[in-house]
Amino acid sequence: MSAPSLLFQPLPAPLTRDGQARLVGVEIEFTRLSERGAAQCLSALIGGTVEEEDPHAFRLTGSRLGDIGIELDMRHVHPGREGPARRLGPLSLWLGAVVSPLVPRELITGPLPVERLSELDGVVQALRTAGARGEGVILTDSLGLHFNVMPEATDAGTLLRLLQAYLVSEPALRQATLTSGLMRFHAPPPYAADYVRRVLSADYRPDLATLCADYVAANPTRKRSLDLLPLFLELFPDIGHRISGKVKPRAVLHYRLPLAYVGRPGWSLAADWNHWVAVEALADDPGRLTEACRQALR
């Protein structure tokens, strides 16, 4: 699995404040190749045992890259899970067969060391050779490339600096990532201008509970290019009733703006990963961040 890769930059802070290595989970969406076919392809490449959860969800366990899920990206078609699919019962499997040509498949890794992210380029190459396709977007949806990054720390100051760095970077990231009208249509909407102004203001110094409350009040949906709801829900479980849609508590920074191009020969995850690293580097440079916030508010 030695596909050529671009250089994946290391995180500016590779360890948490507790001294743990910061890990990254990755989600990659693609089309055409079946869930079963993708799981079998990966088993041949990186080892592991293929387990069937339902006809549209498989799990590769014990591979060289840990456990990996491959499933149709629609929760209504997985009858063994909580929610609408369980209420539909056998109809959920019929629904899955009907929508399968239209709905992307999703590959979901467990938490990985940053230095192993480059191995996912080899995984993508193998999927493409087996028949997987994808060019960032389809008519009905975008094809996501999501990074779930373990934060360095979860104190108010660290999270505020990271959020500020992302907010000042978001316009350029959207311009670089969303290169067509269809991509912009399906992408998570940008943060509202009034929320951006409030967070970038020099006199905005919230404690952690206030940072969370302000975020949820302005962004009660996971449809943001940097989705902090899983992290805030992990920190403050009682905010669940204020959130729109299904969100799982997870102690991660969910960066979900990038798009996946599994069908494009030579495509690497590195460029989008490095965009995230640049955001963290800005957050770690107080002087540069202060000036970037000031310029963004002009």
Side-chain angles (χ1 to χ4, degrees):
M1 53 181 299
S2 57
S5 292
L6 299 175
L7 179 64
F8 286 74
Q9 298 290 340
L11 289 167
L15 303 179
T16 68
R17 299 275 173 77
D18 296 330
Q20 301 179 61
R22 295 176 62 197
L23 305 178
V24 185
V26 182
E27 305 166 42
I28 307 171
E29 294 183 349
F30 58 91
T31 62
R32 297 269 290 274
L33 184 62
S34 72
E35 302 88 335
R36 184 188 300 274
Q40 292 171 341
C41 168
L42 295 191
S43 179
L45 179 71
I46 57 176
T49 302
V50 175
E51 300 176 355
E52 179 177 338
E53 179 183 333
D54 63 56
H56 303 291
F58 292 80
R59 189 163 186 82
L60 183 65
T61 61
S63 84
R64 292 198 298 274
L65 288 175
D67 294 349
I68 297 176
I70 305 100
E71 62 185 52
L72 197 66
D73 188 25
M74 185 177 183
R75 61 193 181 98
H76 296 75
V77 305
H78 304 295
R81 303 179 187 177
E82 296 294 337
R86 177 165 291 185
R87 292 194 295 272
L88 285 173
L91 284 177
S92 64
L93 299 180
W94 171 83
L95 177 62
V98 170
V99 304
S100 184
L102 305 174
V103 176
R105 293 89 171 97
E106 184 175 34
L107 180 154
I108 308 162
T109 78
L112 297 170
V114 172
E115 56 268 23
R116 302 203 66 182
L117 290 178
S118 62
E119 297 180 52
L120 292 176
D121 282 354
V123 166
V124 168
Q125 177 177 291
L127 291 174
R128 182 170 56 250
T129 300
R133 294 295 179 265
E135 283 288 335
V137 70
I138 56 179
L139 186 62
T140 57
D141 204 354
S142 59
L143 298 173
L145 167 64
H146 299 175
F147 295 105
N148 297 296
V149 187
M150 181 187 297
E152 177 188 1
T154 57
D155 60 282
T158 300
L159 294 181
L160 176 59
R161 288 191 298 275
L162 184 70
L163 180 56
Q164 289 174 329
Y166 189 81
L167 292 177
V168 299
S169 303
E170 185 181 37
L173 289 173
R174 296 180 75 88
Q175 184 174 13
T177 303
L178 309 175
T179 57
S180 74
L182 191 58
M183 290 177 182
R184 290 187 289 274
F185 176 78
H186 287 305
Y191 285 95
D194 57 347
Y195 178 72
V196 172
R197 286 192 298 270
R198 181 177 188 184
V199 173
L200 298 187
S201 172
D203 60 3
Y204 185 65
R205 299 185 182 90
D207 60 18
L208 185 59
T210 302
L211 181 66
C212 171
D214 290 348
Y215 182 92
V216 174
N219 310 281
T221 171
R222 63 181 182 174
K223 293 181 179 179
R224 293 292 182 268
S225 54
L226 174 59
D227 170 24
L228 295 182
L229 288 182
L231 176 59
F232 283 138
L233 190 58
E234 176 79 13
L235 296 172
F236 299 99
D238 60 337
I239 67 171
H241 69 283
R242 299 163 54 193
I243 294 174
S244 173
K246 184 176 178 62
V247 176
K248 294 180 181 179
R250 294 179 295 166
V252 298
L253 307 160
H254 187 196
Y255 177 42
R256 59 189 306 267
L257 180 63
L259 299 174
Y261 294 84
V262 173
R264 180 177 295 179
W267 176 67
S268 171
L269 284 65
D272 288 302
W273 168 250
N274 293 343
H275 285 157
W276 174 258
V277 172
V279 170
E280 290 211 12
L282 178 59
D284 278 2
D285 187 333
R288 192 159 64 96
L289 177 59
T290 298
E291 177 60 18
C293 292
R294 189 181 69 81
Q295 290 292 336
L297 290 172
R298 291 181 63 179

